[in-house]
Amino acid sequence: MSFATPRTTNNKNMKITTILMYCSNDFRWIEKCVEQASKISEEIIIPVCDHYFDGTPENREILDKTYELLKDNPKVQIIEFEWSPNYPTYYWANMARIIGKEYSSSETDWVLWLEADEIIDDILFNKWIDSKEYEQYDSFKLANYWYFREPIYQAKNWEDSVVLVRKELVNFDLSNPREREQCHEFLPVRKKREALGIDNLPMIHHYSWVRTKDEMLRKVKSWTHSGDRDWVSQVEEEFKHEFNGSDFIHGYQYNIVENKFNL
C-alpha cells in the first residue's frame, strides 16, 4: 500500500497518528472505526498480518475487501506483514505496533493505540482536545463503554483499554509480552487512567464482544488471549440462550441503549 500524505485535521493542538490493530474477524467494524478515527487523526496506520497471530492463515477475501473499502481514504496507510512460525502470539501484537510506529509521520506527536472494534465519539474527543486537558499528562488510558452480543447492550461498568501517548515515549520490546495497557502502566511519566471527556463521560465505544456465535468463536480461537481459559465452551454455553442481562467474561450488568453508530 502506498503512503498517503497526512491531511491536516481541525485539531491544531494535538497531532495524532492512530495505529489501528486489525484482522478480518473485525471487518464489521472497520469502516465505522476508520470513519470516526479520521475525524481526530492526522493519519491512520493499519498494520495487518497475513495470518492470525496464532498462525491460522488470514481470510484473504475479507482482507482484499477491506483494502478496497479503505483505498480512497487519504489518511489511511495499510501495511501488510508476513507471519512466521516459532514465535508466541504476543510477539506479533508487538510487531504490529512497532510497524505502525515506524511508518508514522514525523509531523505527529501523539499515538492513539486503537483496535478495529473500538469506535471514537469524535465530537466528544475533539471537545476534549480543545480543552487542552491532555497538556497535564504524557499518557492516557481512555475510558470506554463496553458492549456484549448486540450494540444496544451496554455494560454499566466502564473500562479503559485505548491508550493515547506522546509518540516520543513509545517503545515496544519484541521480547516483552506487554499489551498497550501495560506499556502505559510501565511508563515513568505523568499518566492518567480512565480519562473521560469534558462532560465526564467516556469518548470510546468498545464492541469487541458484539458478535454472532460463529464470529465470537473465531475471535476466541485466534486472539492473543486464546490460552487464558476455555473460551470455546463458554461461547457455546452463552449462545444456548437469549441474552440474559450479564456476560461470561466479567459478569457485568447491562443497560439497553440506542445503536449509536447504526452498527
Side-chain angles (χ1 to χ4, degrees):
M1 295 289 169
S2 61
F3 182 72
T5 302
R7 184 178 64 185
T8 303
T9 66
N10 291 327
N11 297 325
K12 303 301 184 183
N13 302 318
M14 173 186 275
K15 294 185 181 299
I16 297 173
T17 292
T18 291
I19 298 178
L20 176 55
M21 300 287 280
Y22 175 70
C23 72
S24 61
N25 286 345
D26 296 328
F27 178 76
R28 68 150 72 187
W29 316 120
I30 189 63
E31 185 173 20
K32 180 58 68 172
C33 179
V34 169
E35 176 188 323
Q36 293 300 110
S38 294
K39 297 173 183 176
I40 61 95
S41 310
E42 303 299 312
E43 61 181 0
I44 301 170
I45 313 296
I46 308 179
V48 180
C49 188
D50 64 358
H51 287 62
Y52 296 111
F53 292 160
D54 70 341
T56 304
E58 255 286 9
N59 186 319
R60 176 52 55 184
E61 180 180 356
I62 295 181
L63 288 188
D64 289 343
K65 187 176 179 180
T66 303
Y67 301 163
E68 180 68 20
L69 183 68
L70 301 178
K71 70 177 183 179
D72 293 328
N73 188 318
K75 293 190 177 184
V76 171
Q77 181 185 14
I78 299 173
I79 311 296
E80 186 171 317
F81 62 98
E82 294 182 0
W83 180 90
S84 60
N86 303 318
Y87 292 96
T89 56
Y90 70 76
Y91 174 94
W92 295 107
N94 284 0
M95 174 62 79
R97 294 185 176 107
I98 289 170
I99 289 171
K101 166 73 181 314
E102 290 302 308
Y103 277 85
S104 67
S105 168
S106 61
E107 297 181 9
T108 59
D109 48 5
W110 287 79
V111 167
L112 181 70
W113 301 108
L114 197 65
E115 299 192 357
D117 49 30
E118 296 165 335
I119 300 179
I120 298 164
D121 185 321
D122 65 290
I123 294 174
L124 295 183
F125 201 100
N126 280 316
K127 286 181 179 179
W128 178 76
I129 291 176
D130 289 341
S131 75
K132 299 189 177 182
E133 166 77 11
Y134 68 89
E135 293 182 346
Q136 302 177 48
Y137 299 95
D138 302 302
S139 184
F140 296 89
K141 288 194 71 184
L142 303 176
N144 62 259
Y145 295 109
W146 201 84
Y147 297 80
F148 184 69
R149 286 191 62 158
E150 299 290 343
I152 61 170
Y153 298 134
Q154 184 188 88
K156 295 179 181 181
N157 299 68
W158 296 341
E159 295 197 346
D160 61 348
S161 55
V162 177
V163 172
L164 177 67
V165 59
R166 293 186 188 275
K167 190 163 69 173
E168 64 188 26
L169 302 174
V170 173
N171 181 25
F172 280 98
D173 181 355
L174 286 173
S175 66
N176 192 324
R178 293 180 183 172
E179 295 281 358
R180 55 183 172 165
E181 295 91 343
Q182 292 167 304
C183 288
H184 165 87
E185 296 298 337
F186 279 85
L187 283 175
V189 296
R190 302 173 301 166
K191 55 196 175 187
K192 182 178 178 64
R193 289 201 58 170
E194 299 181 352
L196 299 169
I198 60 173
D199 58 357
N200 291 318
L201 293 173
M203 301 177 286
I204 310 288
H205 296 258
H206 191 180
Y207 296 98
S208 181
W209 291 91
V210 175
R211 300 175 190 265
T212 65
K213 177 181 175 181
D214 287 345
E215 288 172 337
M216 205 175 285
L217 285 171
R218 286 198 297 272
K219 170 187 172 70
V220 300
K221 289 177 181 177
S222 60
W223 71 331
T224 54
H225 300 286
S226 58
D228 290 1
R229 60 168 109 166
D230 184 2
W231 296 106
V232 171
S233 294
Q234 291 183 304
V235 172
E236 293 283 358
E237 185 65 29
E238 172 64 31
F239 282 90
K240 289 179 180 179
H241 54 77
E242 297 296 322
F243 180 59
N244 62 11
S246 185
D247 66 82
F248 64 84
I249 302 98
H250 303 297
Y252 292 154
Q253 299 300 304
Y254 287 77
N255 295 313
I256 298 178
V257 299
E258 67 172 339
N259 185 349
K260 182 174 178 61
F261 299 104
N262 297 316
L263 300 170

